[in-house]
Amino acid sequence: MENKNIKNAIILMIIIILFVLFQYIRFSSRTINEDIYNKVWYKYNYNTGYYDTLIIDKNTIIYNRPTNSSISEDYNNCNSYFFNKKDNSIVLDCNKKIKILKINDNNINLLIDNKVNVFFNSLDESINYEFETYYGKSIVEYKKEKLQAKEFIKINESKLKEIVESENYSKIVFIGNKCTSVDCALSLDVMEKWISTTEDVYYFDVEELNEKLIKYLNTLNDKVLNDINFYNNVYPKVIISKNGKIIDFYELKCNGFNCTNYYKNEF
């Protein structure tokens, strides 16, 4: 009986050892997919308008989260890491953890600060993904829906001169083919808001600008550059005029997808 108990105990110990060994082999064989190494991964942050960037290699990690003023300090002191094979997470040396949820050819899904973040290896893919997630439609679809407002207030050269020489405060939005930022799409919504409160808002297609008209506008305010690139930029250009003068101008830049700073139609 005693020998039988010893035999059973030995068998049980062997089973435990084999189980532990199996688990060790199972988890020790799991490593980070090397496809994510030595690439810049981007996530457009629609709250700030900047791109979070993530770079990982076999020993180090660089994770930057820019804000309107500086780089976020949350991950500033994170330099190295070890890979926790058990829960598929990157444990950083700054007491932070990033869990890898999924790795695809062009993006990675990560759990960071209890939120799912999708990083892309392309800037355009990242902002398009965030835009469609936020608005439920693509940037192209958004522009098509808002196109009517822009066309409703579109003016030609003669009307432009008439407006800037009038006694009223007027806003003229210039958008050209170099206007590629997301703000170019979001400005259409801003113009809708302006139209709902005043008639003195207009849109001019930069493609219709000519040298003579550019020089004319320069005479109204010498800070308005005598250069088509002043108007044809990555951001919409807004010019405010009154009594034959350009009294102010600025680029329309939202905070990520938040354009509420421009909703009040103030001159």
Side-chain angles (χ1 to χ4, degrees), residues 160-161 164-165 209-227 230-231 239-247 249:
L160 174 62
K161 290 181 178 179
V164 297
E165 291 171 4
L209 272 178
N210 54 59
E211 289 187 12
K212 186 177 179 180
L213 185 55
I214 293 172
K215 287 180 180 178
Y216 166 75
L217 295 172
N218 174 253
T219 63
L220 306 182
N221 186 328
D222 59 8
K223 292 182 179 178
V224 174
L225 301 184
N226 190 16
D227 184 349
F230 175 82
Y231 304 91
I239 284 178
I240 299 175
S241 64
K242 179 180 171 65
N243 289 328
K245 295 181 180 179
I246 294 175
I247 60 176
F249 58 88

Side-chain angles (χ1 to χ4, degrees), residues 13-30:
M13 288 177 62
I14 292 173
I15 292 172
I16 294 172
I17 291 171
L18 289 174
F19 177 78
V20 171
L21 184 61
F22 170 78
Q23 293 298 321
Y24 173 79
I25 293 172
R26 178 188 171 196
F27 288 115
S28 64
S29 63
R30 294 175 62 192

Side-chain angles (χ1 to χ4, degrees), residues 24-209:
Y24 173 79
I25 293 172
R26 178 188 171 196
F27 288 115
S28 64
S29 63
R30 294 175 62 192
T31 58
I32 299 179
N33 187 326
E34 293 192 4
D35 288 343
I36 73 173
Y37 286 152
N38 303 315
K39 295 179 182 177
V40 183
W41 296 97
Y42 303 96
K43 178 187 181 299
Y44 182 76
N45 189 324
Y46 60 76
N47 291 312
T48 65
Y50 295 95
Y51 285 90
D52 298 352
T53 59
L54 181 68
I55 303 173
I56 304 172
D57 64 23
K58 291 185 177 181
N59 301 305
T60 60
I61 187 168
I62 301 173
Y63 182 27
N64 289 330
R65 299 202 292 189
T67 66
N68 292 330
S69 57
S70 62
I71 299 294
S72 170
E73 297 181 356
D74 290 351
Y75 289 81
N76 274 11
N77 297 319
C78 304
N79 299 304
S80 61
Y81 71 91
F82 74 86
F83 182 59
N84 187 333
K85 302 162 189 175
K86 200 168 186 177
D87 66 353
N88 210 36
S89 65
I90 299 169
V91 182
L92 299 98
D93 60 348
C94 56
N95 199 30
K96 295 280 187 179
K97 185 166 76 169
I98 298 174
K99 187 172 183 178
I100 300 175
L101 302 177
K102 192 176 183 181
I103 299 176
N104 301 309
D105 291 337
N106 65 333
N107 65 73
I108 51 177
N109 295 11
L110 306 174
L111 187 67
I112 303 175
D113 298 332
N114 297 317
K115 293 181 180 179
V116 176
N117 291 257
V118 183
F119 284 77
F120 289 80
N121 54 19
S122 161
L123 293 170
D124 289 340
E125 285 187 275
S126 177
I127 194 169
N128 288 332
Y129 171 83
E130 295 296 337
F131 193 96
E132 191 159 351
T133 301
Y134 189 89
Y135 287 102
K137 63 194 72 174
S138 69
I139 295 176
V140 173
E141 291 170 333
Y142 184 92
K143 284 181 177 180
K144 284 182 179 179
E145 285 188 5
K146 301 287 184 179
L147 187 62
Q148 185 175 356
K150 186 175 73 170
E151 293 302 314
F152 179 72
I153 58 174
K154 184 178 180 180
I155 56 174
N156 56 24
E157 180 177 343
S158 60
K159 184 65 176 179
L160 174 62
K161 290 181 178 179
E162 177 187 327
I163 290 165
V164 297
E165 291 171 4
S166 73
E167 296 180 354
N168 298 330
Y169 283 102
S170 298
K171 279 183 180 176
I172 308 165
V173 184
F174 291 80
I175 300 176
N177 58 9
K178 292 183 180 178
C179 197
T180 55
S181 67
V182 69
D183 306 77
C184 302
L186 298 176
S187 68
L188 303 177
D189 181 64
V190 174
M191 283 190 275
E192 273 191 352
K193 298 290 191 300
W194 289 346
I195 293 170
S196 67
T197 58
T198 182
E199 296 180 353
D200 298 314
V201 176
Y202 308 92
Y203 155 69
F204 192 90
D205 185 352
V206 176
E207 297 297 308
E208 298 180 15
L209 272 178

